Amino acid sequence: MHAAERNNLLAGLSHADEELRRLAVEGVTQLPAAEAIPLLIERLADASWRVRKAAVERLAALPERNGAVNALLGAIADGENSGRRNAAVEALTGCGRSAVPQLLAALEAAEVDVRKQVVDVLGAIGDARANEAIARSLDDADANVRAAAADALAALGASSAAEPLRRACANDS
């Protein structure tokens, strides 16, 4: 990409016109992943849902998934911008099975909101590798994480989830 094209692309990301920002987001994937990922993460907080949606789609489709998933996990910890958080959850879900190992590791996060969102994403992805970790989340200190785990296990419908769900129902006030 020529310097002028790159400069136009970067300028388009902050343009006042929503459609130009959306088009710029679509073009960001022409940049190296290390440069594109942070730019796409920024656009997850865009005022326009169309721009956020384009960023979600681009992040979920990046071939360099590890970097995208790590950045998205950081974005779900954004306590200030619910639009960014929700868009990051959508993008993580779109990353699918390839994101599961990093999501499983993120279940150990100190932040309650991150753990809850990660459980939601794992439930939405529906990968059986997550069943045991989601079941362990039934014992989380936070009631919202426990509820999300119960919802995720019920949605997954795994027979191995029956006993942990029964135990949680009997023991969780």
Side-chain angles (χ1 to χ4, degrees), residues 18-171:
E18 166 186 342
E19 181 62 11
L20 291 178
R21 289 194 315 276
R22 188 189 66 76
L23 291 171
V25 163
E26 291 182 5
V28 162
T29 55
Q30 296 173 38
L31 298 172
E35 188 176 357
I37 291 170
L39 294 170
L40 291 169
I41 293 293
E42 281 179 36
R43 295 289 47 121
L44 292 178
D46 197 276
S48 165
W49 70 269
R50 293 175 66 232
V51 174
R52 289 192 308 269
K53 185 73 170 171
V56 163
E57 291 168 356
R58 296 305 164 274
L59 283 160
L62 283 174
E64 204 299 297
R65 285 283 169 84
N66 288 339
V69 171
N70 283 335
L72 288 163
L73 287 168
I76 65 171
D78 185 344
E80 300 297 315
N81 189 309
S82 60
R84 179 188 310 237
R85 263 193 330 273
N86 293 338
V89 165
E90 186 178 347
L92 281 166
T93 302
C95 288
R97 295 175 49 87
S98 65
V100 169
Q102 288 167 278
L103 290 166
L104 291 173
L107 282 174
E108 303 301 320
E111 301 88 2
V112 170
D113 292 337
V114 170
R115 293 194 312 273
K116 191 254 185 233
Q117 299 287 359
V118 168
V119 168
D120 288 341
V121 171
L122 286 167
I125 291 172
D127 188 313
R129 293 176 292 172
N131 290 356
E132 186 178 318
I134 295 171
R136 283 194 306 272
S137 293
L138 290 170
D139 295 324
D140 195 276
D142 185 79
N144 290 323
V145 175
R146 294 192 307 271
D151 286 344
L153 287 171
L156 292 169
S159 60
S160 63
E163 183 53 35
L165 283 169
R166 273 194 284 281
R167 207 172 35 253
C169 287
N171 299 329

